[in-house]
Amino acid sequence: MEYLRTTRNTAYIPSGIYVLRVGTLIAAVLAVCVAQMGVAIPAVLNGLFQQNLGTSSAQLTWISDAFLVPICVLELTFGVLGDLFGRKRLLVGGALALAVGEAVGVLTPGTALPADTRLVVLWTGQIIAGLGAAAIFPTSLAMISAGTYSASARIRSVSIWAAALSAGNCFSPLLGGLAAKLRFGADPLAGWKWAFLVVLALALISAAVSATAARDSSSPEGRSLDWAGQATIAVALFALLYAFVQGPTSGWRSWPILSGFAVFAVFLALFILVERRSGAPLLRLDFFYNRNFAVASAVTIIGMFAFLGTAYSTSIRLSAIQGFSPLKTAIAFVFLNGTALVQLPVTTRLLERHGPKWPLCAGLVLMAGGALWLAAVPAADLSLAPVVAPFILVGSGFALALTALTAIAVNTAPNHLAGMASGSANMLRDFGFTLGPAIIGAVALSQAAAGIREKLAASPALRHAYAAFLASPAHVPAAQRAAAEGAVHAVTSGPLGANAVPATVITAGGRVLPLNPLQRVAFDALSHSYSLGYLICGAAALLAALLTAIALRAGADEDLPDLEELLDE
């Protein structure tokens, strides 16, 4: 017999009952840290991706979203699979799939092949890696929550899990920044592959640790694969994300985009209908009858949208707009993500003493304050100093909010539904994460493109210079034609491409010649549009804080199963 001290008394648990052990906790937090590194790595490498692969704005967004979409779409199903067949094998298999995906990314061909072919290989690797992460996130959290039987025990374990996720966010920019300084073969712009190789190695280490140290657990009672639920939610979420990402490129009124929104609405309704009628649903809709779970679900989507929208805006601003090196960008992201590790003891103590409501509200207010502060800092200021303090505010707020939201989600479900609760908590978080870059990118790039068009329409001299630039490949020597065509292609690909091509070039003789007449116009338009992105994120975080203050029930959740229920099973 073993004993577990609860908030009420000391109770004895039969030895056959699954209890969280140190080895399992280490395996879970290592796995989630590595998986989050895979999610976050592209953020600091956006500038290199654009230079190395010649991406359009939408293609650049899809490098991150190719990883995020499988996570968002499949987390609920992997939660069920862990409940049915054992969570340990999913933790190991997820890490191995993550390693395979990173390996495919490393094998992205060089410049000898067309850019579209190279992108397809990279996207494929990101999708495979995303499948692995989709298994890791709900499984690691379920292994923690299923082995803890009091709110305080779960808060401590969930705080460690959330800190590990934040650590992945913190380490990945440093890894990307350092790796990008190294040459990979003959291509000086392919240093990003070293970052993928490091994640690959860490994923293999994580698989080995999980295989040797983790204790298996499962909860198959009343659970089965819900194929209809998985199919309908997958189609709904993918259609919505496709519409947001492709909207600026295809046009918001084009039939593919309008069809995407329509498909989302139809299949979301079908998902709700299927889940209501299913004997073993993918997601029990009666979870949402619990007030705290319902409010926390909405706050999770809005709050995580605000955080990753801020992080995405920061990544684009520092790397693709201001032209910071990956290492300098990484330093900024350390301030954004590193606070979670430092404040872990404080976060845990706040949640234990005051419950999740007010720490969550405070975290969202900090995030809002940091995002609104960033909106007021002009991109023309090329120093990191003005953005350090708002980054710390956003990062500190995120650490509080993430831990509180995760604790609410897992504390409102009984232990035998830990996989479903963990899957839903992770899906909602990652859905918000996925919406952040998609929506902010769509709004910012649309606004920037409109600003460039307005400048062109208002200035005949600018139109004349732009027309001459577009015609320049036909008038340069044959040896320079490919470079001129590449510059024209980049500028016409969108605002980010227009900003990436320099306004002037220096000849071998030292003469300065005009090249891209839209560079300064694009820089100003992007600076304004991504400031708008920060404003949207700040407003979203304030909305989530208001919803938390008004609607979330304070105090400990009483829905945790009593140990007496456990002994009766």
Side-chain angles (χ1 to χ4, degrees):
M1 301 287 283
E2 300 173 4
Y3 72 89
L4 174 72
R5 185 170 299 279
T6 72
T7 55
R8 298 176 185 172
N9 53 20
T10 300
Y12 290 87
I13 304 177
S15 59
I17 296 296
Y18 170 70
V19 178
L20 181 65
R21 301 294 188 199
V22 173
T24 304
L25 180 62
I26 291 173
V29 298
L30 176 60
V32 76
C33 179
V34 176
Q36 189 61 28
M37 288 178 70
V39 173
I41 276 286
V44 76
L45 298 173
N46 277 325
L48 269 185
F49 286 141
Q50 188 180 42
Q51 295 175 53
N52 186 230
L53 301 169
T55 59
S56 68
S57 300
Q59 289 170 334
L60 189 63
T61 302
W62 275 117
I63 293 175
S64 294
D65 280 351
F67 196 111
L68 285 166
V69 169
I71 296 175
C72 187
V73 165
L74 295 172
E75 279 179 315
L76 283 174
T77 293
F78 278 118
V80 175
L81 290 173
D83 287 347
L84 287 173
F85 304 114
R87 297 169 183 131
K88 178 175 178 176
R89 66 184 64 185
L90 271 187
L91 203 63
V92 174
L96 292 176
L98 177 60
V100 170
E102 298 297 312
V104 173
V106 171
L107 295 175
T108 299
T111 54
L113 291 182
D116 287 347
T117 302
R118 301 168 68 204
L119 273 171
V120 167
V121 175
L122 179 55
W123 286 337
T124 301
Q126 288 289 87
I127 291 169
I128 296 171
L131 289 171
I136 288 172
F137 284 125
T139 301
S140 60
L141 184 57
M143 293 175 85
I144 288 174
S145 60
T148 49
Y149 300 97
S150 69
S152 60
R154 281 194 181 174
I155 283 173
R156 289 191 294 271
S157 299
V158 166
S159 295
I160 296 171
W161 182 89
L165 187 146
S166 296
N169 276 333
C170 180
F171 297 150
S172 55
L174 285 175
L175 168 61
L178 292 171
K181 296 177 70 67
L182 304 175
R183 292 178 66 94
F184 192 94
D187 189 347
L189 297 176
W192 57 267
K193 293 183 179 182
W194 287 112
F196 279 50
L197 275 174
V198 174
V199 176
L200 186 161
L202 292 174
L204 292 176
I205 293 171
S206 173
V209 171
S210 296
T212 55
R215 181 183 175 188
D216 198 14
S217 64
S218 62
S219 304
E221 298 83 5
R223 302 289 272 146
S224 64
L225 292 175
D226 179 9
W227 295 110
Q230 176 58 78
T232 49
I233 193 62
V235 173
L237 293 178
F238 180 79
L240 179 65
L241 295 171
Y242 173 84
F244 275 122
V245 173
Q246 289 297 129
T249 301
S250 301
W252 293 106
R253 296 182 182 180
S254 63
W255 72 265
I257 303 307
L258 294 177
S259 297
F261 287 121
V263 168
F264 163 73
V266 169
F267 276 82
L268 181 62
L270 287 175
F271 172 73
I272 294 172
L273 181 63
V274 165
E275 296 305 280
R276 285 184 178 277
R277 296 184 176 184
S278 175
L282 189 66
L283 175 62
R284 279 179 49 173
L285 299 181
D286 58 357
F287 277 6
F288 293 93
Y289 296 152
N290 180 292
R291 178 175 170 180
N292 272 11
F293 187 89
V295 173
S297 297
V299 170
T300 297
I301 294 174
I302 300 170
M304 297 305 101
F305 158 80
F307 173 74
L308 209 66
T310 300
Y312 168 78
S313 297
T314 298
S315 168
I316 296 297
R317 171 184 168 135
L318 298 181
S319 61
I321 299 175
Q322 294 180 310
F324 284 8
S325 68
L327 185 58
K328 191 173 181 180
T329 302
I331 293 171
F333 271 89
V334 168
F335 290 108
L336 188 65
N337 296 308
T339 53
L341 300 177
V342 177
Q343 71 183 52
L344 173 60
V346 177
T347 300
T348 304
R349 185 66 60 86
L350 285 173
L351 290 172
E352 287 180 338
R353 288 191 174 183
H354 304 289
K357 176 175 180 175
W358 296 116
L360 172 57
C361 194
L364 292 166
V365 170
L366 288 174
M367 286 170 55
L372 296 175
W373 189 345
L374 287 167
V377 180
D381 189 335
L382 300 181
S383 169
L384 278 180
V387 297
V388 167
F391 284 169
I392 292 174
L393 284 182
V394 173
S396 180
F398 170 70
L400 278 173
L402 176 66
T403 307
L405 287 167
T406 306
I408 292 169
V410 298
N411 279 345
T412 52
N415 286 54
H416 71 279
L417 293 178
M420 182 183 292
S422 301
S424 62
N426 280 281
M427 185 199 73
L428 292 167
R429 183 198 70 232
D430 290 321
F431 182 54
F433 278 171
T434 309
L435 287 179
I439 293 178
I440 297 302
V443 171
L445 293 172
S446 296
Q447 287 291 316
I452 293 171
R453 288 194 298 269
E454 289 177 5
K455 291 290 186 180
L456 281 169
S459 173
L462 184 60
R463 290 198 303 273
H464 177 75
Y466 183 52
F469 169 73
L470 296 179
S472 61
H475 305 292
V476 299
Q480 301 174 9
R481 189 160 298 147
E485 289 173 347
V488 169
H489 173 74
V491 170
T492 56
S493 68
L496 290 175
N499 179 66
V501 176
T504 60
V505 291
I506 301 176
T507 67
R511 293 177 58 201
V512 178
L513 298 178
L515 177 62
N516 173 20
L518 291 188
Q519 194 277 326
R520 189 66 208 182
V521 173
F523 180 90
D524 292 339
L526 287 166
S527 175
H528 173 75
S529 64
Y530 277 94
S531 290
L532 176 62
Y534 283 130
L535 285 174
I536 293 172
C537 293
L542 284 177
L543 174 62
L546 183 63
L547 182 60
T548 300
I550 294 174
L552 194 70
R553 190 173 60 235
D557 206 303
E558 296 299 326
D559 292 331
L560 266 178
D562 290 327
L563 292 174
E564 290 77 6
E565 295 177 20
L566 211 98
L567 295 170
D568 291 339
E569 292 183 351

